Amino acid sequence: MFDLLYIVWNPDPVAFSIGPVTLRWYGLLYAAGFLVAIWLLAKMFKSEGCPDDWADKVFIYMVVAVIVGSRLGHVFFYDWAYYREHPLEIFMVWHGGLASHGGTIAILIAVWLLTKYVMHKPYLWLGDRLFVVCSFVAGVIRLGNLMNSEIYGCETAMPWGFKFLRDYPGVPEALVPVCHPTQIYESLSYFVLFGVMMWIYWKTPYRNKEGFLTGLGFTWLFTARFLIEFIKNDQSEFEAGMLLNMGQLLSIPFIILGVVLLIRAHKRPLSPGSAATDTPRPKPDKVKLQ
């Protein structure tokens, strides 16, 4: 519901139930994001003459990496004091608790395994292509956070502020604070990054500047995350009073890595070709994404 001064937000996080099985919007958006991403990656691989099964293998590695890495990131970065006393709950992913920085670290490991043992390609070759589609997934996941009414910001007087009623059960609407919908801010920044990287990959020769897309992705995504954290509520109690919260501290190394990769890519000449074979890839304006 919309008001002249704020937006009332109280959707049911459960999309629907089938018998004992409950499907939440977060899980559906997560899955949809991965499926769209792997479809796009398959199109990219096909345009470069790569083996047909590469996209399927990447999908399996990425799903495992994101789930395991994001969960362990939440456990060790944000709530180790609790999970140290309740170790069995570490495996209860369905109870919630995923951290994107942990997922990113796990993806970096998965990319190394894929390039070394499956594809036999340079690390940044896969990193560049994977970052294009991962930026889309990141945007969709933040929409899932919005449907869960979680990871939102501090109070605001902006007319697009949200009242997240789900976090205030039994409290009169007039007393619920109006907060920044930081999930939307992050989602929009990631979708813009996705659009820019898709344009660079399909329409410019910079796709062959090894490490350029990876550097751009790290710099853009984690700079956006770093800045938005200033207006986001703390995710854990220990962050209270910190000059920079955990999300910002974890973002800094990725920003530095991104800048280094951009500088490195700028200094390097265009690679002679990015295809898995010597077959010339189709011109970008003739590739149809259907």
Side-chain angles (χ1 to χ4, degrees):
M1 185 175 73
F2 295 85
D3 191 275
L4 292 176
L5 300 177
Y6 56 81
I7 298 169
V8 177
W9 187 255
N10 192 31
D12 188 343
V14 175
F16 55 88
S17 299
I18 304 176
V21 179
T22 298
L23 295 177
R24 301 172 68 90
W25 285 111
Y26 182 87
L28 290 175
L29 287 167
Y30 213 116
F34 262 103
L35 291 175
V36 171
I38 209 64
W39 174 76
L40 290 171
L41 192 63
K43 290 287 185 181
M44 296 164 75
F45 285 169
K46 184 177 181 180
S47 74
E48 299 189 50
C50 301
D52 294 336
D53 63 343
W54 276 13
D56 294 333
K57 292 177 179 178
V58 170
F59 177 76
I60 295 171
Y61 275 72
M62 290 303 106
V63 169
V64 173
V66 168
I67 293 176
V68 174
S70 297
R71 182 58 171 176
L72 293 180
H74 171 76
V75 169
F76 292 111
F77 296 151
Y78 289 96
D79 216 357
W80 176 236
Y82 174 82
Y83 288 103
R84 182 176 54 197
E85 303 296 328
H86 307 85
L88 292 180
E89 292 193 27
I90 294 175
F91 304 97
M92 300 178 183
V93 181
W94 54 91
H95 285 177
L98 301 173
S100 57
H101 292 92
T104 302
I105 294 171
I107 288 174
L108 293 176
I109 296 172
V111 170
W112 177 77
L113 292 172
L114 281 164
T115 52
K116 183 174 180 64
Y117 296 107
V118 177
M119 299 177 171
H120 306 290
K121 299 284 288 183
Y123 185 92
L124 290 174
W125 180 91
L126 178 58
D128 286 342
R129 287 144 186 80
L130 196 57
F131 223 123
V132 176
V133 299
C134 281
S135 58
F136 175 81
V137 178
V140 172
I141 289 174
R142 281 296 178 254
L143 293 181
N145 295 134
L146 179 65
M147 296 305 295
N148 277 346
S149 298
E150 61 188 3
I151 316 182
Y152 53 84
C154 56
E155 293 188 41
T156 180
M158 296 298 181
W160 57 79
F162 277 45
K163 286 198 172 192
F164 293 96
L165 300 186
R166 185 166 173 263
D167 265 7
Y168 297 86
V171 177
E173 181 184 314
L175 300 179
V176 176
V178 180
C179 299
H180 282 287
T182 49
Q183 315 97 320
I184 296 178
Y185 301 167
E186 285 192 59
S187 182
L188 289 176
S189 67
Y190 302 159
F191 285 140
V192 171
L193 171 62
F194 168 69
V196 170
M197 295 181 84
M198 282 288 283
W199 177 78
I200 291 173
Y201 178 82
W202 290 109
K203 298 293 184 179
T204 78
Y206 274 83
R207 69 178 186 278
N208 291 332
K209 280 268 191 180
E210 189 176 279
F212 179 81
L213 289 170
T214 303
L216 175 63
F218 276 130
T219 305
W220 184 315
L221 191 149
F222 287 102
T223 297
R225 174 73 184 270
F226 182 90
L227 295 175
I228 293 171
E229 288 288 334
F230 280 114
I231 56 172
K232 189 186 293 185
N233 288 323
D234 293 334
Q235 302 304 302
S236 297
E237 292 182 3
F238 73 85
E239 293 179 300
M242 293 174 65
L243 179 62
L244 298 177
N245 64 26
M246 182 59 74
Q248 291 173 311
L249 293 175
L250 292 172
S251 294
I252 291 173
F254 292 111
I255 296 172
I256 295 173
L257 175 60
V259 172
V260 170
L261 287 174
L262 282 175
I263 295 173
R264 175 181 177 272
H266 177 71
K267 292 181 177 180
R268 292 168 64 92
L270 289 172
S271 59
S274 60
T277 68
D278 292 331
T279 304
R281 71 189 295 276
K283 291 183 179 179
D285 59 348
K286 293 185 179 180
V287 175
K288 295 183 179 180
L289 300 182
Q290 299 177 343

